[in-house]
Amino acid sequence: MTHAFLDLPPLSAARFASIEDRVARLLGTRQDVVIMQGEALLPLEGAIRSAAGPGTTALNVITGPYGQTFGDWLRDCGATVIDLSVPFHTAVTAAQVREALAEHPETDFVSLVHAEAATGNTNPVAEIGEVVREHGALFYLDAVASVGAEPVLPDAWGVDLCVIGAQKAMGGPAGVSAVSVSERAWTRMAANPRAPRRSYLSLLDWKERWTDAGRKALLHAPAQLEMLALEACLERIESVGLDGVMARHRRAALATRAGAVALGGGLEPYVYETSDAAPVATTLRVPAGVVASELVARALRNDGALPLAAGGGALAKEMIRVNHYGVDATAEAVRRSVTAIGSALAEKGLDVDVDAAVRAIESARA
């Protein structure tokens, strides 16, 4: 038998390099871009372990669960870590970062998540990048959820290590990811005796054996199907235009927020301020006496394909997440999600107005 996914000719180094170039254009960067053969946790961890060590003092900004994970990795590397935590219903400010850096002038590494899909907030990276650049620290950014939903500009923002994945707003595969690396970051890695070498986590291996060698021979057999899917994803974004893709996510976020407020029943946005809310996902706080995970299960009972999830960990009791990214960044997906939540709330005996929610969604997307 034959199959479209099988018996494909090997992916050449030249084609692999051309996909890296397209990722660089998506980010508007002149930095080196390395596509790593795994989900985004691979370059996220690899970049930290490559650039941080016992001599590092890191300011780790926590606005959600991924920020907590980065702090754990940094400590495991032997770095001294100062955590800057803010409530998950808000965003960190550049002023807070400036104050933390002033209190800890020895800081030489700053880690930040752009958009926390898990909590529904997004952080003002451009403003924070200016503060970090003035201080002189290396700037590490997780832009996995934000890329495709809002601007991600490593060069303009002074980001030294910018990690992206295609599985959310880009609407692409989860099995490959990418990181842009500044010259400062490469220099830091080369000076770090603990940077992974001869390892799947190693960025320096990619630099020496791939980038510096003229991108002629791959380190190992690539994840061919995922690479082809990433190429198709980039082609689709290019055909529509990145601005159009971002606008679609922004409209979906505004429509979800408006629909949830109009629905009533005690449902309200988890992130207080619209300006702090991520365009990739909207989080909602359930009314008192309602368990979010149970409500989501009710909502999914009739349509398991809805982009709904309860919050993770302790947030499973109070938070619903509407994941309006990729193919679900549409008014139809938002309408179906909000009306399903409304029906589930009504089953719990709460007073909701589904018609008002639908009208609000239509008005917000206009």
Side-chain angles (χ1 to χ4, degrees):
M1 66 170 287
T2 60
H3 194 287
F5 295 154
L6 302 176
D7 305 320
L8 296 170
L11 188 74
S12 68
R15 190 159 180 188
F16 192 106
S18 73
I19 299 172
E20 282 187 339
D21 291 341
R22 293 174 96 152
V23 172
R25 288 196 295 271
L26 177 74
L27 298 176
T29 183
R30 294 176 178 269
Q31 297 178 4
D32 290 331
V33 169
V34 176
I35 297 178
M36 299 192 76
Q37 304 297 283
E39 197 270 337
L41 282 173
L42 175 63
L44 285 169
E45 182 176 358
I48 281 181
R49 294 192 182 278
S50 294
T56 302
T57 299
L59 177 66
N60 179 52
V61 181
I62 301 176
T63 59
Y66 278 99
Q68 294 171 326
T69 297
F70 299 159
D72 292 340
W73 286 340
L74 285 161
R75 290 182 178 89
D76 190 53
C77 290
T80 300
V81 181
I82 299 102
D83 286 327
L84 171 57
S85 300
V86 302
F88 289 178
H89 62 256
T90 188
V92 72
T93 66
Q96 289 172 310
V97 173
R98 187 185 298 278
E99 182 179 353
L101 291 173
E103 290 177 1
H104 302 278
E106 71 277 17
T107 299
D108 59 1
F109 187 98
V110 175
S111 52
L112 175 71
V113 179
H114 188 182
E116 284 267 13
T119 51
N121 56 31
T122 191
N123 293 302
V125 182
E127 298 169 20
I128 293 169
E130 184 175 346
V131 171
V132 175
R133 187 164 52 243
E134 289 174 2
H135 186 81
L138 207 71
F139 192 13
Y140 164 100
L141 183 70
D142 171 357
V144 174
S146 55
V147 65
E150 54 189 308
V152 176
L153 302 168
D155 293 10
W157 297 344
V159 179
D160 295 288
L161 292 159
C162 182
V163 177
I164 68 166
Q167 68 267 33
K168 288 188 167 65
M170 288 177 66
V176 289
S177 47
V179 54
S180 65
V181 187
S182 73
E183 285 300 322
R184 289 202 321 151
W186 285 131
T187 300
R188 180 77 65 91
M189 292 180 205
N192 180 11
R194 292 199 179 187
R197 303 304 300 267
R198 295 166 294 281
S199 164
Y200 213 56
L201 287 168
S202 178
L203 286 170
L204 285 173
D205 286 356
W206 279 96
K207 174 177 171 55
E208 293 177 3
R209 296 171 55 192
W210 170 248
T211 306
D212 289 353
R215 300 193 296 180
K216 301 296 185 183
L218 290 161
L219 274 64
H220 45 72
Q224 175 149 313
L225 294 179
E226 287 81 0
M227 288 297 295
L228 294 175
L230 177 59
E231 183 180 50
C233 163
L234 292 163
E235 287 175 353
R236 184 165 61 183
I237 292 172
E238 290 164 1
S239 68
V240 174
L242 181 57
D243 287 345
V245 175
M246 291 191 295
R248 181 163 56 83
H249 283 83
R250 186 166 55 251
R251 289 194 299 269
L254 293 173
T256 305
R257 195 175 183 91
V261 171
L263 182 65
L267 195 70
E268 59 185 25
Y270 184 85
V271 177
Y272 294 170
E273 301 294 333
T274 303
S275 58
D276 293 340
V280 71
T282 297
T283 47
L284 304 169
R285 192 184 302 275
V286 299
V290 175
V291 177
S293 58
E294 295 175 359
L295 193 70
V296 169
R298 283 176 179 264
L300 294 174
R301 190 169 52 203
N302 295 325
D303 186 354
L306 291 173
L308 295 176
L315 294 176
K317 293 183 178 179
E318 62 178 316
M319 179 198 287
I320 294 175
R321 192 171 74 240
V322 184
N323 295 316
H324 43 69
Y325 55 70
V327 296
D328 289 316
T330 65
E332 176 61 17
V334 169
R335 183 192 63 76
R336 289 169 45 231
S337 297
V338 173
T339 55
I341 294 169
S343 297
L345 287 169
E347 289 181 22
K348 297 285 288 183
L350 294 164
D351 185 20
V352 296
D353 191 338
V354 173
D355 290 338
V358 171
R359 289 194 297 271
I361 289 168
E362 291 298 320
S363 296
R365 64 181 285 268

